[in-house]
């Protein structure tokens, strides 16, 4: 798939998540998630630039998608905690980060 195809497929998969964020009153989070999705869409293909790593190898797995989701969840959690959000909003932000990262890679 070409770069534009990666962007389009990732944004198509992200659309329900972004829509839910907007409907829940977080348009800024939806926008940030869309930007993160576009940024992460081609990350799995970085394996082509790493010597000794097969294309469509470890970076094209569910485990890699989950790992990226966990990293984004940790970042979202850190931002939520430093922003003094309520516990419910913190959990929601963390879940949003995980879903965004996992879907962008997937």
């Amino acid at each position: 798939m070409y770069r534009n195809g990666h962007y389009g497929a990732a944004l198509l998969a992200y659309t329900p998540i972004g829509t839910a964020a907007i409907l829940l009153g977080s348009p800024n989070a939806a926008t940030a998630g869309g930007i993160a999705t576009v940024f992460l869409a081609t990350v799995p293909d970085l394996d082509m630039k790493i010597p000794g790593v097969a294309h469509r190898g470890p970076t094209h797995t569910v485990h890699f998608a989950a790992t990226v989701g966990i990293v984004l969840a940790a970042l979202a959690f850190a931002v939520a905690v430093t922003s003094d959000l309520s516990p419910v909003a913190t959990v929601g932000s963390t879940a949003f980060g995980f879903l965004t990262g996992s879907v962008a890679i997937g």
Side-chain angles (χ1 to χ4, degrees):
M1 185 182 304
Y2 293 106
R3 183 176 306 192
N4 289 341
H6 282 283
Y7 296 149
L11 286 172
L12 183 64
Y14 171 75
T15 298
I17 299 167
T19 301
I22 291 169
L23 293 175
L24 292 171
S26 298
N28 292 338
T31 302
I35 291 168
T37 298
V38 169
F39 177 76
L40 293 170
T42 58
V43 167
D45 283 341
L46 292 177
D47 62 1
M48 293 189 297
K49 297 180 181 184
I50 301 171
V53 177
H55 182 55
R56 294 196 177 100
T59 61
H60 285 74
T61 63
V62 174
H63 300 300
F64 184 72
T67 300
V68 172
I70 290 168
V71 169
L72 246 59
L75 289 172
F77 178 78
V79 168
V81 168
T82 59
S83 300
D84 291 328
L85 294 179
S86 70
V88 172
T90 300
V91 169
S93 297
T94 304
F96 179 77
F98 177 78
L99 285 173
T100 300
S102 299
V103 166
I105 298 299

